[in-house]
Short mmCIF file of all heavy atoms in Angstrom, two decimals:
data_model
loop_
_atom_site.label_atom_id
_atom_site.label_comp_id
_atom_site.label_asym_id
_atom_site.label_seq_id
_atom_site.Cartn_x
_atom_site.Cartn_y
_atom_site.Cartn_z
N THR A 503 10.89 -4.60 -6.39
CA THR A 503 10.39 -5.05 -7.68
C THR A 503 11.26 -4.55 -8.84
O THR A 503 11.89 -3.49 -8.75
CB THR A 503 8.94 -4.57 -7.89
OG1 THR A 503 8.45 -5.07 -9.14
CG2 THR A 503 8.87 -3.05 -7.90
N ASP A 504 11.29 -5.31 -9.91
CA ASP A 504 11.93 -4.86 -11.16
C ASP A 504 10.90 -4.29 -12.14
O ASP A 504 11.27 -3.77 -13.18
CB ASP A 504 12.66 -6.04 -11.82
CG ASP A 504 13.85 -6.51 -10.99
OD1 ASP A 504 14.64 -5.64 -10.56
OD2 ASP A 504 13.97 -7.72 -10.77
N ASP A 505 9.61 -4.40 -11.77
CA ASP A 505 8.55 -3.90 -12.64
C ASP A 505 8.14 -2.50 -12.18
O ASP A 505 7.09 -2.30 -11.58
CB ASP A 505 7.34 -4.85 -12.58
CG ASP A 505 6.23 -4.43 -13.53
OD1 ASP A 505 6.52 -3.66 -14.48
OD2 ASP A 505 5.08 -4.84 -13.31
N ASN A 506 8.99 -1.52 -12.48
CA ASN A 506 8.77 -0.17 -11.97
C ASN A 506 7.91 0.69 -12.91
O ASN A 506 7.35 1.70 -12.48
CB ASN A 506 10.11 0.53 -11.75
CG ASN A 506 10.91 -0.12 -10.65
OD1 ASN A 506 10.53 -0.08 -9.50
ND2 ASN A 506 12.03 -0.75 -11.02
N ARG A 507 7.86 0.34 -14.18
CA ARG A 507 7.12 1.14 -15.17
C ARG A 507 7.53 2.61 -15.09
O ARG A 507 6.70 3.51 -15.12
CB ARG A 507 5.62 0.97 -14.97
CG ARG A 507 5.16 -0.48 -15.13
CD ARG A 507 3.71 -0.66 -14.76
NE ARG A 507 3.37 -2.09 -14.73
CZ ARG A 507 2.59 -2.70 -15.61
NH1 ARG A 507 2.07 -2.03 -16.61
NH2 ARG A 507 2.33 -3.99 -15.50
N SER A 508 8.82 2.80 -14.96
CA SER A 508 9.37 4.15 -14.85
C SER A 508 10.11 4.52 -16.13
O SER A 508 10.37 3.67 -16.98
CB SER A 508 10.32 4.22 -13.65
OG SER A 508 11.41 3.31 -13.83
N TRP A 509 10.47 5.81 -16.24
CA TRP A 509 11.25 6.30 -17.38
C TRP A 509 12.11 7.46 -16.91
O TRP A 509 11.61 8.43 -16.33
CB TRP A 509 10.32 6.75 -18.51
CG TRP A 509 11.04 7.30 -19.71
CD1 TRP A 509 12.16 6.80 -20.30
CD2 TRP A 509 10.69 8.46 -20.46
NE1 TRP A 509 12.53 7.56 -21.37
CE2 TRP A 509 11.64 8.59 -21.50
CE3 TRP A 509 9.66 9.40 -20.37
CZ2 TRP A 509 11.61 9.64 -22.43
CZ3 TRP A 509 9.62 10.43 -21.29
CH2 TRP A 509 10.58 10.54 -22.31
N ASN A 510 13.40 7.36 -17.15
CA ASN A 510 14.33 8.37 -16.64
C ASN A 510 14.44 9.61 -17.51
O ASN A 510 15.23 10.51 -17.22
CB ASN A 510 15.71 7.76 -16.40
CG ASN A 510 16.39 7.29 -17.68
OD1 ASN A 510 16.02 7.71 -18.79
ND2 ASN A 510 17.39 6.43 -17.54
N CYS A 511 13.68 9.67 -18.59
CA CYS A 511 13.65 10.84 -19.49
C CYS A 511 14.97 11.12 -20.18
O CYS A 511 15.22 12.25 -20.64
CB CYS A 511 13.19 12.09 -18.72
SG CYS A 511 11.53 11.95 -18.02
N GLY A 512 15.84 10.12 -20.23
CA GLY A 512 17.07 10.28 -21.02
C GLY A 512 18.36 10.22 -20.25
O GLY A 512 19.44 10.21 -20.86
N ALA A 513 18.32 10.17 -18.92
CA ALA A 513 19.55 10.07 -18.12
C ALA A 513 19.20 9.36 -16.83
O ALA A 513 18.16 9.63 -16.23
CB ALA A 513 20.13 11.45 -17.84
N GLU A 514 20.05 8.45 -16.39
CA GLU A 514 19.79 7.70 -15.16
C GLU A 514 20.24 8.51 -13.96
O GLU A 514 21.42 8.85 -13.81
CB GLU A 514 20.51 6.34 -15.19
CG GLU A 514 20.19 5.43 -14.03
CD GLU A 514 18.78 4.83 -14.12
OE1 GLU A 514 18.04 5.14 -15.08
OE2 GLU A 514 18.43 4.04 -13.23
N GLY A 515 19.30 8.83 -13.08
CA GLY A 515 19.62 9.56 -11.86
C GLY A 515 19.71 11.06 -12.07
O GLY A 515 19.21 11.62 -13.06
N GLU A 516 20.35 11.73 -11.13
CA GLU A 516 20.45 13.18 -11.18
C GLU A 516 21.28 13.62 -12.39
O GLU A 516 22.23 12.94 -12.78
CB GLU A 516 21.06 13.71 -9.88
CG GLU A 516 20.18 13.46 -8.66
CD GLU A 516 18.80 14.07 -8.80
OE1 GLU A 516 18.71 15.28 -9.09
OE2 GLU A 516 17.81 13.33 -8.63
N THR A 517 20.93 14.77 -12.93
CA THR A 517 21.61 15.28 -14.13
C THR A 517 21.55 16.80 -14.15
O THR A 517 20.69 17.41 -13.50
CB THR A 517 20.93 14.72 -15.40
OG1 THR A 517 21.60 15.22 -16.56
CG2 THR A 517 19.48 15.14 -15.47
N ASP A 518 22.47 17.40 -14.90
CA ASP A 518 22.47 18.85 -15.11
C ASP A 518 21.93 19.22 -16.48
O ASP A 518 21.90 20.41 -16.83
CB ASP A 518 23.89 19.41 -14.96
CG ASP A 518 24.43 19.24 -13.55
OD1 ASP A 518 23.63 19.32 -12.60
OD2 ASP A 518 25.65 19.03 -13.40
N ASP A 519 21.50 18.23 -17.26
CA ASP A 519 21.02 18.48 -18.61
C ASP A 519 19.70 19.24 -18.56
O ASP A 519 18.68 18.71 -18.08
CB ASP A 519 20.83 17.14 -19.33
CG ASP A 519 20.52 17.31 -20.81
OD1 ASP A 519 19.82 18.28 -21.15
OD2 ASP A 519 20.93 16.46 -21.60
N PRO A 520 19.64 20.48 -19.05
CA PRO A 520 18.40 21.28 -18.95
C PRO A 520 17.22 20.63 -19.65
O PRO A 520 16.08 20.73 -19.17
CB PRO A 520 18.78 22.61 -19.62
CG PRO A 520 20.27 22.66 -19.58
CD PRO A 520 20.74 21.24 -19.68
N ALA A 521 17.45 19.98 -20.78
CA ALA A 521 16.35 19.36 -21.52
C ALA A 521 15.75 18.20 -20.73
O ALA A 521 14.52 18.02 -20.69
CB ALA A 521 16.84 18.88 -22.88
N VAL A 522 16.60 17.41 -20.11
CA VAL A 522 16.12 16.28 -19.31
C VAL A 522 15.36 16.80 -18.08
O VAL A 522 14.29 16.29 -17.73
CB VAL A 522 17.29 15.37 -18.89
CG1 VAL A 522 16.81 14.30 -17.91
CG2 VAL A 522 17.93 14.72 -20.11
N ILE A 523 15.89 17.82 -17.43
CA ILE A 523 15.24 18.39 -16.25
C ILE A 523 13.87 18.95 -16.62
O ILE A 523 12.88 18.73 -15.91
CB ILE A 523 16.13 19.48 -15.62
CG1 ILE A 523 17.39 18.85 -15.02
CG2 ILE A 523 15.36 20.26 -14.56
CD1 ILE A 523 18.40 19.86 -14.52
#
Side-chain angles (χ1 to χ4, degrees):
T503 182
D504 293 313
D505 183 20
N506 295 293
R507 300 173 188 251
S508 61
W509 179 43
N510 65 19
C511 299
E514 187 73 359
E516 295 303 307
T517 180
D518 296 326
D519 188 325
V522 173
I523 292 174

